[in-house]
Amino acid sequence: MRDGEATLGACLASLSAQTLADHEVVAVDDGSADGSGRLLRAHAARDARLRVLAAPPRGLVAALNHGLAACRAPLVARMDADDVADPRRLEAQARRFRDADAPDVLAARVRVVGDEAGPGMAEYVGWSNGLLTHEEMVADLFVESPLVHPSVMARAAALRALGGYRVFDGPEDYDLWLRAHAAGLRFAKLSEVLLDWRDSPRRLTRRDPRYGPDRFRALKIEALERAALRAGRAVVLWGGGPIGKAWSRALRARGHRVCAFVDVHPRRLGTSVHGAPVVPWPEAAAHAGALHLAAVGQRGGRARVRGLAASLGLRDGVDLIAVA
């Protein structure tokens, strides 16, 4: 956390009010220049469960890893200084970890708050809130992050086994979920809304190029190259619009061959995109050995592509992967 004085009080009050009394809050002050440090120390004097770690300004990833290293409990819950937790949050999540089928990483549904929240954020949260099971989240893992980072509780040992957060020029939370999935960790999400997630112009995802679409796409391609997109495997892109074209450019830049685009738009059929033919969906069966990517953005588009691909015998998650 850095310079979060304006919202920090409400955040800390929501943690002090948790129905799970046996918890510790590890607050990393990443070189705040406002009154955040003073507020943290004053709150710690009133609530001994708050432990403040003051550090020079090193950035979000360093602060996250600093906090993770200092946590002493077997479960770690993530939260930002501008969010507010439902009083039941920690208790509900900790209870889920006692189940026989407990996951390794557990999120909760969230509510967007803030005057600056736009339709894009509302659409993302609606999509994310709709993915509750491991299978649902993995199926759309290459679309966007299916887990809202500040809503997550996870096994501390599992996060440490992954090496914590990675320092690189990209989204550290999404990178963590991709690595967690590759390591065989299980995801889940509680159906209750347990976090008020603040959207504001100050959020890093709005103003830092590390969180731009090009960096997300590059990270997805790197993850695919370690699994489904093996060397020499051609790619078929379902969708010849902006998303499909962006994926084509990024794939070709890394040496991958896009052998066809699949589209339903009659004016696109018979044309070519970046040298690859645009074909109707039944002709996708001619490229059964390729990796098919559902690169469509319109509402309901991915579900339609999945249905058409399944009718051709393409297996979701193996032969076809949804991307954005």
Side-chain angles (χ1 to χ4, degrees):
M1 177 220 58
R2 184 188 299 169
D3 296 339
E5 181 181 15
T7 58
L8 183 57
C11 170
L12 294 174
S14 74
L15 293 173
S16 289
Q18 291 295 303
T19 56
L20 179 67
D22 185 17
H23 72 268
E24 179 183 52
V25 176
V26 176
V28 179
D29 183 2
D30 186 45
S32 293
D34 63 359
S36 295
R38 183 172 58 254
L39 198 158
L40 284 170
R41 291 189 295 272
H43 193 91
R46 298 191 302 271
D47 189 339
R49 296 174 298 179
L50 172 61
R51 183 155 53 107
V52 181
L53 305 180
R58 294 181 296 170
L60 177 60
V61 173
L64 289 169
N65 284 328
H66 187 186
L68 176 60
C71 288
R72 298 177 286 203
L75 298 174
V76 176
R78 168 81 169 85
M79 189 158 167
D80 285 325
D82 58 352
D83 299 329
V84 172
D86 183 282
R88 304 163 297 153
R89 179 196 168 180
L90 297 182
E91 182 179 16
Q93 290 188 294
R95 184 189 310 119
R96 178 68 177 84
F97 278 95
R98 295 196 292 269
D99 293 344
D101 62 342
D104 301 291
V105 179
L106 176 66
R109 282 176 167 163
V110 304
R111 178 189 300 108
V112 178
V113 298
D115 296 336
E116 302 295 329
M121 178 58 72
E123 184 176 354
Y124 165 72
V125 167
W127 168 81
S128 174
N129 281 348
L131 305 175
L132 297 180
T133 69
H134 175 80
E135 290 72 24
E136 289 170 337
M137 285 185 265
V138 166
D140 272 3
L141 184 59
F142 289 90
V143 175
E144 243 284 19
S145 173
L147 305 161
V148 173
H149 195 198
S151 79
V152 164
M153 179 180 283
R155 300 184 190 277
L159 296 184
R160 290 176 182 135
L162 292 172
Y165 295 87
R166 189 164 65 100
V167 179
F168 74 114
D169 61 339
E172 75 291 330
D173 53 346
Y174 186 57
D175 172 67
L176 185 66
W177 312 144
L178 290 174
R179 290 188 288 122
H181 173 55
L185 299 189
R186 299 283 298 180
F187 303 137
K189 187 178 297 172
L190 297 181
S191 60
E192 298 95 334
V193 174
L194 296 176
L195 184 81
D196 283 348
W197 190 33
R198 185 174 300 279
D199 186 32
S200 75
R202 295 181 65 245
R203 288 181 62 232
L204 286 176
T205 50
R206 284 202 180 199
R207 55 188 176 86
D208 193 314
R210 290 176 298 171
Y211 302 91
D214 290 344
R215 289 304 306 137
F216 270 88
R217 191 176 300 112
L219 197 58
K220 294 170 186 178
I221 292 175
E222 291 168 10
L224 287 171
E225 288 172 340
R226 293 191 291 270
L229 189 53
R230 60 182 179 271
R233 190 179 189 185
V235 176
V236 174
L237 286 166
W238 290 61
I243 295 176
K245 290 175 181 175
W247 269 85
S248 173
R249 287 189 292 268
L251 287 164
R252 290 186 301 122
R254 292 186 64 87
H256 299 287
R257 182 172 66 92
V258 176
C259 59
F261 283 79
V262 177
D263 212 306
V264 297
H265 200 296
R267 286 184 295 185
R268 291 176 181 157
L269 297 178
T271 64
S272 65
V273 176
H274 302 159
V278 181
V279 302
W281 70 267
E283 293 186 20
H287 304 281
L291 176 62
H292 294 245
L293 299 179
V296 294
Q298 65 269 33
R299 187 181 297 275
R302 284 191 292 272
R304 184 181 183 189
V305 168
R306 281 173 162 143
L308 295 175
S311 72
L312 298 177
L314 299 175
R315 297 162 295 172
D316 194 38
V318 178
D319 307 306
L320 176 84
I321 294 176
V323 300

